[in-house]
Amino acid sequence: MTSDKKDIAEKVSELGGIQPWNHNFILSGGVETRPGTQVSHGKNLVKLKRLQPLFDLLELDGKKVLDMGCNEGFFSLEMASQGAEVTGID
């Protein structure tokens, strides 16, 4: 494991000890925040199905977005993947 990957894995573990990760994000070097079955991830996928038509209407590519109450950033990451410049605040 490279030094960077090791550092990221240690930080993920440290933060997970404070509060368990709700979602599994795959970070640099393949480090996962919560590998395995996700309990709450499905809820966000259901919400995303409802929000996606709005995202499409807004044409997020190139837009600046503020995601207030972003939690772990599920929707922030989704909007960023659609081209938005996202700032998430929890």
Side-chain angles (χ1 to χ4, degrees):
M1 185 181 301
T2 66
S3 173
D4 290 341
K5 182 177 178 179
K6 183 179 177 194
D7 292 343
I8 293 169
E10 287 174 359
K11 191 64 173 179
V12 164
S13 179
E14 176 188 331
L15 293 171
I18 296 168
Q19 178 176 332
W21 292 91
N22 289 328
H23 308 292
N24 185 39
F25 295 107
I26 300 172
L27 306 173
S28 181
V31 175
E32 296 184 49
T33 56
R34 186 175 179 161
T37 304
Q38 302 303 300
V39 176
S40 63
H41 187 69
K43 292 178 186 176
N44 282 336
L45 291 176
V46 170
K47 291 176 189 176
L48 181 58
K49 280 185 180 181
R50 293 192 326 249
L51 289 171
Q52 189 59 57
L54 179 60
F55 291 169
D56 294 341
L57 181 66
L58 294 171
E59 299 176 2
L60 294 173
D61 191 28
K63 301 262 173 65
K64 291 185 177 185
V65 175
L66 174 61
D67 184 0
M68 296 183 67
C70 66
N71 196 4
E72 292 174 341
F74 178 87
F75 296 104
S76 296
L77 290 171
E78 182 59 38
M79 290 183 287
S81 77
Q82 295 181 39
E85 181 183 329
V86 182
T87 300
I89 300 172
D90 193 42

